[in-house]
Amino acid sequence: MINSERYHRQMILPGMGIEGQQKLSNAKVLVIGAGGLGCPVLQYLAAAGTGKLGIVDDDLVSLSNLHRQVLYSVADIGKSKATSAASKLEALNPDIEIIPYPFRLTNQNALDTISGYDIVVDGSDNFGTRYMVNDACVILGKPLVYGAISKFEGQMTVFNMPGKDGQSGVNYRDLFPVPPGEMEVPNCEDAGVLGVLPGIIGASMANEVLKIIIGFGVVSTGKLLTFNALTNSTYEFILGDHSDDYIVPGNVDAFMQANYDWNCALPGAGEIAGKDFFKMLQNPGVMVIDVRNRGELPIVSRFKHVNIPLDELADRATEFTHAETLIFFCKSGQRSRQAAGLINEKFRDGKLIYSLRGGLNGLDQQL
Amino acid sequence: MPLTVSLFGQLSDITGSNIIEVENVIDTNSLINNIKERFPLIKDNKFAVAVDKKIIRENTLLTEQSLVALLPPFSGG
């Protein structure tokens, strides 16, 4: 039963009515990533009365999220984003079904998770997930509402939208066939992001979801929208046809066996986290290197280390000659992975080389 | 007449500007080679190329009026 008072202001819109509201009530939308983009998407879709909302996120709320991830408050720090978001949204709209998935989406669980939904929204924060979600949506024939941000700029479009002719619209790989190399593109933690930017892009993504469900307006498929928050300049780029330059795993088996975790693939070097990191500090011959820039916060005093910023590393590699084990760290674990890869190429098999997975952020969450 | 090229995201961090001018190029391949020579760090980046607001995949002839844009992928969410 539709609560016509709650939805009155949108039900009186042309093209909406009780039929449009009923379509919303029947719709099932999966939002991947409950971060800067996911928060506004979830808020508007819950408020509008989307019948079933799934929230996938394996991350925990941290203080540095709060300037842009507007569903969370100080009391949520250290708690699961998926479950915290779900409880906020239940308070906003108890008439809809909200399902948190507080785990990482991988190619082993993605098809099962996505198949119960009509529309997928990608607000994730890494390329491994973005390519994997794209391929899963292509295999399952689901429209994918895509948004991505960097510093002051955002991109938005709808991929894999089923057309009237039965053909699927272009997908992420038609625009970017090959995933970027290791660390080619900085994430929000390492590059920074203006808090309001994901609000603007995320609200625009929620708008696309509503248009797809209700069937009014023009869905932004086949064109990439870009927005610059500093200049307010917007562009629309026409995406053209499907490309022949890439391969989406053609079936479920190929998808399950594909390697989407290339970001973690560090040939010759490894990643360590939390407990293992502190254990390893006890070993002789271990050198710990902070590859953040000088003066970057927080200041680390919990363990002995030296500071060699990433861009000086290649020139100062001789300083590592006597160490048997090198452990690099930074804020998020991204620059330190790059450092581990770089130094590993120099020393080859001569040393054990590690990057602290999740960086200082990861340690903070465990302590 | 130089061609105007718009750069997005981290590409504009490399060039120091979101608009650069490129002289004496006849097609997108020569334009991209020219930019990579001037800004070697761009070589390490993947990006989509648009001519007159349409994403292209193959080498495309340019005129003095062509608007070229280079768009890298973003991962942030």
Side-chain angles (χ1 to χ4, degrees), chain A residues 142-159:
Chain A
K142 308 278 182 188
L144 172 62
V145 178
Y146 161 90
I149 51 171
S150 177
K151 289 186 173 178
F152 301 103
E153 291 177 57
Q155 301 173 338
M156 199 278 295
T157 187
V158 178
F159 287 125

Side-chain angles (χ1 to χ4, degrees), chain A residues 139-206:
Chain A
I139 289 170
L140 297 171
K142 308 278 182 188
L144 172 62
V145 178
Y146 161 90
I149 51 171
S150 177
K151 289 186 173 178
F152 301 103
E153 291 177 57
Q155 301 173 338
M156 199 278 295
T157 187
V158 178
F159 287 125
N160 205 45
M161 182 74 188
K164 290 197 178 80
D165 55 1
Q167 299 288 309
S168 291
V170 290
N171 66 71
Y172 189 44
R173 288 184 188 264
D174 290 308
L175 177 61
F176 300 115
V178 188
E182 172 90 11
M183 307 314 142
E184 193 180 298
V185 183
N187 63 14
C188 290
E189 267 169 6
D190 291 332
V193 62
L194 193 67
V196 71
L197 175 70
I200 293 167
I201 302 294
S204 176
M205 294 163 76

Side-chain angles (χ1 to χ4, degrees), chain A residues 40-309:
Chain A
V41 170
L42 288 164
Q43 275 171 305
Y44 280 109
L45 293 184
T50 308
K52 180 174 168 183
L53 273 178
I55 310 167
V56 187
D57 203 313
D58 69 328
D59 200 7
L60 309 178
V61 179
S62 66
L63 184 59
S64 64
N65 295 148
L66 300 189
H67 87 296
R68 67 187 189 284
Q69 301 182 15
V70 291
L71 269 176
Y72 311 118
S73 50
V74 173
D76 299 316
I77 291 171
K79 294 182 186 160
S80 150
K81 287 187 183 177
T83 51
S84 301
S87 69
K88 298 287 163 75
L89 298 170
E90 272 155 19
L92 169 64
N93 192 346
D95 297 343
I96 62 171
E97 186 184 0
I98 298 160
I99 303 178
Y101 300 98
F103 52 74
R104 191 165 189 84
L105 205 65
T106 69
N107 57 336
Q108 303 307 303
N109 58 26
L111 296 176
D112 278 349
T113 310
I114 291 172
S115 58
Y117 292 85
D118 312 316
I119 300 171
V120 178
V121 178
D122 181 6
S124 64
D125 64 355
N126 64 87
F127 286 114
T129 302
R130 288 186 180 279
Y131 279 86
M132 190 264 295
V133 168
N134 176 75
D135 294 354
C137 287
V138 171
I139 289 170
L140 297 171
K142 308 278 182 188
L144 172 62
V145 178
Y146 161 90
I149 51 171
S150 177
K151 289 186 173 178
F152 301 103
E153 291 177 57
Q155 301 173 338
M156 199 278 295
T157 187
V158 178
F159 287 125
N160 205 45
M161 182 74 188
K164 290 197 178 80
D165 55 1
Q167 299 288 309
S168 291
V170 290
N171 66 71
Y172 189 44
R173 288 184 188 264
D174 290 308
L175 177 61
F176 300 115
V178 188
E182 172 90 11
M183 307 314 142
E184 193 180 298
V185 183
N187 63 14
C188 290
E189 267 169 6
D190 291 332
V193 62
L194 193 67
V196 71
L197 175 70
I200 293 167
I201 302 294
S204 176
M205 294 163 76
N207 185 36
E208 294 307 308
V209 174
L210 295 180
K211 286 189 287 182
I212 296 169
I213 294 170
I214 294 154
F216 58 18
V218 180
V219 175
S220 276
T221 179
K223 56 193 177 189
L224 179 75
L225 276 65
T226 70
F227 173 73
N228 185 318
L230 288 180
T231 57
N232 268 349
S233 51
T234 56
Y235 293 94
E236 258 187 38
F237 293 99
I238 307 294
L239 293 177
D241 299 326
H242 286 290
S243 162
D244 302 324
D245 297 351
Y246 65 87
I247 301 167
V248 168
N251 56 49
V252 173
D253 284 345
F255 176 79
M256 302 285 265
Q257 279 160 29
N259 174 22
Y260 289 97
D261 218 9
W262 58 81
N263 285 322
C264 300
L266 264 183
E271 285 191 294
I272 50 164
K275 234 187 277 166
D276 293 336
F277 171 69
F278 286 107
K279 260 189 227 156
M280 211 173 274
L281 292 182
Q282 319 299 322
N283 298 346
V286 172
M287 182 172 177
V288 182
I289 305 105
D290 178 0
V291 295
R292 298 177 301 162
N293 293 323
R294 286 187 191 80
E296 225 177 289
L297 295 174
I299 294 165
V300 176
S301 53
R302 274 179 276 171
F303 48 86
K304 211 177 132 204
H305 65 278
V306 295
N307 177 217
I308 305 180

Side-chain angles (χ1 to χ4, degrees), chain B:
Chain B
M1 265 276 287
L3 262 167
T4 302
V5 180
S6 302
L7 300 150
F8 289 78
Q10 61 274 21
L11 301 184
S12 61
D13 294 341
I14 294 171
T15 61
S17 169
N18 51 17
I19 291 180
I20 58 167
E21 292 191 336
V22 182
E23 306 249 18
N24 302 325
V25 288
I26 53 159
D27 54 23
T28 48
N29 279 1
S30 57
L31 175 126
I32 289 161
N33 286 337
N34 180 304
I35 294 175
K36 285 180 175 172
E37 273 170 31
R38 276 166 66 192
F39 305 100
L41 285 174
I42 286 204
K43 266 188 231 155
D44 302 331
N45 285 265
K46 291 193 179 60
F47 49 84
V49 181
V51 177
D52 298 328
K53 303 215 171 148
K54 189 173 187 317
I55 302 287
I56 54 126
R57 297 201 189 89
E58 293 183 349
N59 191 21
T60 301
L61 284 174
L62 299 171
T63 70
E64 289 180 354
Q65 285 76 41
S66 299
L67 293 169
V68 182
L70 307 184
L71 298 129
F74 298 159
S75 68

